[in-house]
Amino acid sequence: MMLNKTMHSARSSSNSTATTTSSRVLLGRRGMMTSGGDFSAINNSRRALLHDSTSQQHKRKTLTLRAASATAAGSKGEVSLLDYGAGNVRSVRNAMQKLGYTVKDIKSPEDILAAKKLVFPGVGAYGSAMDILRERKLIEPLREYVLDGTRPFMGVCLGLQLLFDGSEESGGVEGLGLIPGTVTKFTGEDLIVPHIGWNVNEVKRESYLLDLQKGDPSASVSERVYFVHSYRALPNDQNKDWVLSTCDYGSEPFISAVQKGNVMATQFHPEKSGFTGLKIFDQFLSGGKSEMETSSALPSSASSDAVRKGLAKRVIACLDVRSNDAGDLVVTKGDSYDVREKSEGESGDVRNLGKPVELAKKYFDMGADEVSFLNITGYRDTPLKDAPMIEVLKLSSETVFVPLTVGGGIRDFTDSNGKHYSSLEVASAYFASGADKVSIGSDAVEVAEKFYANNEQGDGTSSIETISNRYGSQAVVISIDPRRKYETDPKNTKNKCIETKRKLGPNGEKYCWFQCTIKGGREGRDIGAYELAIAMEKLGAGEILLNCIDEDGQGNGFDHELVKMVADAVKIPVIASSGAGHPRHFSEVFGAVPACSAALAAGIFHRDEVTVKECKEDMAKSGLPTRL
Ligand code: 1PR
């Protein structure tokens, strides 16, 4: 009783201060922050990774965020964050700070009971999350907080699933038992799982949480938001009074948000859903008083249902990053993986196309559905030794509110001093710095070779297995770097060979397979992209990033034959990469290979030849599900 009283007065004091003054922050059309970004002081070495001049040249357009500011210190109030160290919650923290709130970390069970507002971004697998909560004696306080119901609670992703009775994930695990129902794996014929990307959140009833139009909950609109998960909760008679929104994927619609009074949770990631997601967070934090204005993320009613509904095909901007000869970390871009300038046939400097943090923000502002960083010389050393990519990620996650993938050097490594770094440690450092997914290149090839040598069995110790066991398969992307190998007869190779219509071999060979390489294409191995993808899916990878050395930087479009071969072989999402030279190349690959989930480009975006918007407009014209 006494506890409740304390909590009550704490809550009302935070509410009363929440509306005293207001400040205005202008945002560009795709959400560029133009003033009052309020990021905590960035020290000089971090500033070196930023480049202000170009970003200031971007057009600032229509979005406005009027942030109600509360205290003299400029904070709108305190919100407690339950980060139990199992994945990327940096973006949730950054989102709340960006919205003007002070984040307090939950360190003990008592902190939960004393919280005024609690955010619970569940990450990792269901079983390990419950184990950690149990070890840290957080289960009862969490239940008590939610059952009390007087103070705001927001669960995100696994933070929604854990509220249910249990899950069939991790072999069947009991949850917090607060919402009736069991979380189960997606089902559906030929369904691609994990469910990764931007899908439509269908609002089922009024709620300030999903009120994206200012001050009118009845105008709650269905928008595309970012999902990444393999399990979901289904609506039923026992939980129907919790269901706030659903989303259509697989055999039946699943629960995408719940709310009962002050207790709310979303299956999607507001912190990764661009400005729509920030608005949802702001509604939660302000108790429905958000003044942030967003334009609808859904295409206008003029667009066809095919464009407006369902899981959108993603457009991903990729930044290949490495140190140049002067030791500066730059975004570079190769032609068939050769990233050095050419003059009279001589190899010159590493091409410098800009600064990673600045470009990542530019692509977020342009409407990219995801941003990927590939540390292309990561195989040479461990990224943990001198950690510029870690810093790039930390800075980027302060301004980029769509998913971030990072790759390069994720493998076990022993340095010259005998210090050992496990791939899991490297991945953990990346997740803690703001990555949502890690991509594994060279190591995946070696792991697949062992897998086939071992009767198609993993031994549980590989980077793919250990990272996906800890963080979930959706966090593990396999980056494949294949090159065409031509054959006069498909029987000449053990790898899957096709009869090619795209390009014959140098001696007119009709057959080819797609040879995997390691170390950025420097070494070819006797395993094909097809075989690698199948092995990786079996070992627990959640997504395939399918590059193509022959087409990299050529601008001739994606290699549909390669993309089709791999996308038809697996039931995890496949991202087509390499060769985009025109907006129509995106529509073409999605048209030619319906199972392809996303397409990635680098050069055309870096050189400002094509915008993300132009790619998406072309996709929408072609009737493809698109997040415009
Ligand atoms: O092997 O785990 O250390 O990871 C290294 C990572 O670096 C891998 O993901 C590998 O693909 C990448 N990488 C290595 N060397 C290069 C290089 O270019 N020399 N870049 C490289 C990969 C391919 C795409 C590129 C697309 C689109 N580049 O990332 O962005 O081809 O380009 P385009 O639109 O301009 O055609 P590990």
Side-chain angles (χ1 to χ4, degrees), residues 39-199:
F39 302 134
S40 53
I42 296 166
N43 67 30
N44 288 342
S45 69
R46 299 178 92 209
R47 276 188 201 287
L49 290 163
L50 292 162
H51 191 278
D52 295 324
S53 57
T54 318
S55 29
Q56 281 162 6
Q57 289 159 15
H58 290 314
K59 290 179 187 148
R60 284 97 161 129
K61 292 186 186 163
T62 54
L63 287 180
T64 337
L65 180 135
R66 265 181 236 104
S69 158
T71 65
S75 167
K76 291 196 274 179
E78 183 181 280
V79 51
S80 296
L81 178 69
L82 177 47
D83 173 4
Y84 52 86
N88 174 23
V89 303
R90 178 177 283 270
S91 304
V92 172
R93 184 187 303 275
N94 287 341
M96 294 190 294
Q97 286 171 344
K98 179 166 184 148
L99 292 166
Y101 290 80
T102 304
V103 177
K104 181 173 187 261
D105 281 297
I106 297 287
K107 298 216 166 69
S108 66
E110 293 72 36
D111 287 347
I112 291 185
L113 296 173
K116 297 169 194 150
K117 285 190 183 105
L118 182 59
V119 173
F120 179 33
V123 278
Y126 204 100
S128 61
M130 283 304 290
D131 286 346
I132 299 173
L133 292 177
R134 194 168 297 109
E135 271 159 35
R136 293 182 52 185
K137 302 194 171 21
L138 299 175
I139 290 182
E140 276 319 309
L142 258 175
R143 283 177 46 82
E144 193 176 321
Y145 185 103
V146 172
L147 285 169
D148 171 70
T150 55
R151 294 157 295 156
F153 172 92
M154 171 90 162
V156 175
C157 193
L158 192 60
L160 172 142
Q161 295 184 5
L162 290 167
L163 298 176
F164 282 79
D165 289 331
S167 170
E168 67 176 27
E169 192 182 357
S170 316
V173 183
E174 253 184 48
L176 295 171
L178 296 159
I179 304 180
T182 301
V183 177
T184 49
K185 192 156 188 181
F186 276 111
T187 53
E189 210 183 320
D190 283 339
L191 192 69
I192 293 175
V193 178
H195 173 224
I196 297 183
W198 299 77
N199 207 340

Side-chain angles (χ1 to χ4, degrees), residues 318-320 332-339 374-380 407-411 439-444 479-481 518-522 545 547-548 551-555 558 577-581 600-604 606-607:
C318 180
L319 296 93
D320 290 350
T332 189
K333 187 67 227 24
D335 288 323
S336 294
Y337 283 32
D338 183 352
V339 296
L374 297 177
N375 177 1
I376 67 170
T377 49
Y379 67 89
R380 291 184 182 155
I410 298 175
R411 72 209 151 107
S439 99
I440 304 176
S442 305
D443 196 47
S479 172
I480 310 184
D481 298 316
I518 59 170
K519 301 179 182 169
R522 285 168 183 78
L545 164 54
N547 303 299
C548 175
E551 298 301 338
D552 175 55
Q554 304 306 305
F558 301 98
S577 164
S578 305
L600 169 153
I604 50 169
H606 302 336
R607 296 187 299 267

Side-chain angles (χ1 to χ4, degrees), residues 97-413:
Q97 286 171 344
K98 179 166 184 148
L99 292 166
Y101 290 80
T102 304
V103 177
K104 181 173 187 261
D105 281 297
I106 297 287
K107 298 216 166 69
S108 66
E110 293 72 36
D111 287 347
I112 291 185
L113 296 173
K116 297 169 194 150
K117 285 190 183 105
L118 182 59
V119 173
F120 179 33
V123 278
Y126 204 100
S128 61
M130 283 304 290
D131 286 346
I132 299 173
L133 292 177
R134 194 168 297 109
E135 271 159 35
R136 293 182 52 185
K137 302 194 171 21
L138 299 175
I139 290 182
E140 276 319 309
L142 258 175
R143 283 177 46 82
E144 193 176 321
Y145 185 103
V146 172
L147 285 169
D148 171 70
T150 55
R151 294 157 295 156
F153 172 92
M154 171 90 162
V156 175
C157 193
L158 192 60
L160 172 142
Q161 295 184 5
L162 290 167
L163 298 176
F164 282 79
D165 289 331
S167 170
E168 67 176 27
E169 192 182 357
S170 316
V173 183
E174 253 184 48
L176 295 171
L178 296 159
I179 304 180
T182 301
V183 177
T184 49
K185 192 156 188 181
F186 276 111
T187 53
E189 210 183 320
D190 283 339
L191 192 69
I192 293 175
V193 178
H195 173 224
I196 297 183
W198 299 77
N199 207 340
V200 180
N201 190 44
E202 296 280 355
V203 180
K204 296 294 176 197
R205 59 181 162 90
E206 273 182 33
S207 155
Y208 67 79
L209 184 70
L210 301 178
D211 170 20
L212 302 173
Q213 310 295 320
K214 205 172 71 184
D216 181 7
S218 64
S220 292
V221 288
S222 301
E223 296 234 12
R224 277 208 173 91
V225 286
Y226 188 80
F227 292 89
V228 50
H229 57 129
S230 301
Y231 295 80
R232 84 300 195 219
L234 297 175
N236 61 31
D237 275 352
Q238 288 73 47
N239 61 33
K240 62 176 186 257
D241 47 345
W242 279 93
V243 178
L244 181 54
S245 64
T246 60
C247 173
D248 220 349
Y249 194 69
S251 51
E252 50 202 314
F254 66 88
I255 299 174
S256 50
V258 294
Q259 180 175 13
K260 210 180 235 189
N262 286 321
V263 179
M264 295 155 243
T266 60
Q267 178 60 66
F268 58 87
H269 287 262
E271 78 284 7
K272 292 287 157 192
S273 298
F275 281 87
T276 298
L278 287 180
K279 169 84 179 182
I280 291 170
F281 250 133
D282 204 33
Q283 287 289 34
F284 165 75
L285 293 165
S286 65
K289 298 192 183 76
S290 170
E291 292 188 18
M292 184 176 170
E293 288 168 19
T294 66
S295 59
S296 170
L298 279 186
S300 73
S301 51
S303 308
S304 68
D305 271 4
V307 177
R308 289 155 44 78
K309 295 200 169 152
L311 182 62
K313 299 289 184 187
R314 284 170 281 154
V315 174
I316 301 176
C318 180
L319 296 93
D320 290 350
V321 178
R322 62 162 287 173
S323 296
N324 63 13
D325 298 330
D328 301 322
L329 203 63
V330 297
V331 173
T332 189
K333 187 67 227 24
D335 288 323
S336 294
Y337 283 32
D338 183 352
V339 296
R340 289 191 179 266
E341 306 279 7
K342 292 280 169 306
S343 99
E344 293 168 11
E346 295 288 306
S347 217
D349 291 340
V350 170
R351 270 186 212 113
N352 181 348
L353 291 164
K355 298 212 171 198
V357 179
E358 173 205 320
L359 283 182
K361 180 176 184 310
K362 173 177 155 184
Y363 298 137
F364 169 63
D365 293 337
M366 281 169 69
D369 296 320
E370 286 183 38
V371 174
S372 294
F373 292 107
L374 297 177
N375 177 1
I376 67 170
T377 49
Y379 67 89
R380 291 184 182 155
D381 208 335
T382 171
L384 295 189
K385 204 160 154 205
D386 64 347
M389 282 305 287
I390 302 269
E391 202 60 17
V392 163
L393 271 174
K394 285 183 182 168
L395 282 167
S396 297
S397 67
E398 289 174 2
T399 56
V400 176
F401 292 95
V402 294
L404 290 171
T405 301
V406 67
I410 298 175
R411 72 209 151 107
D412 292 352
F413 186 82

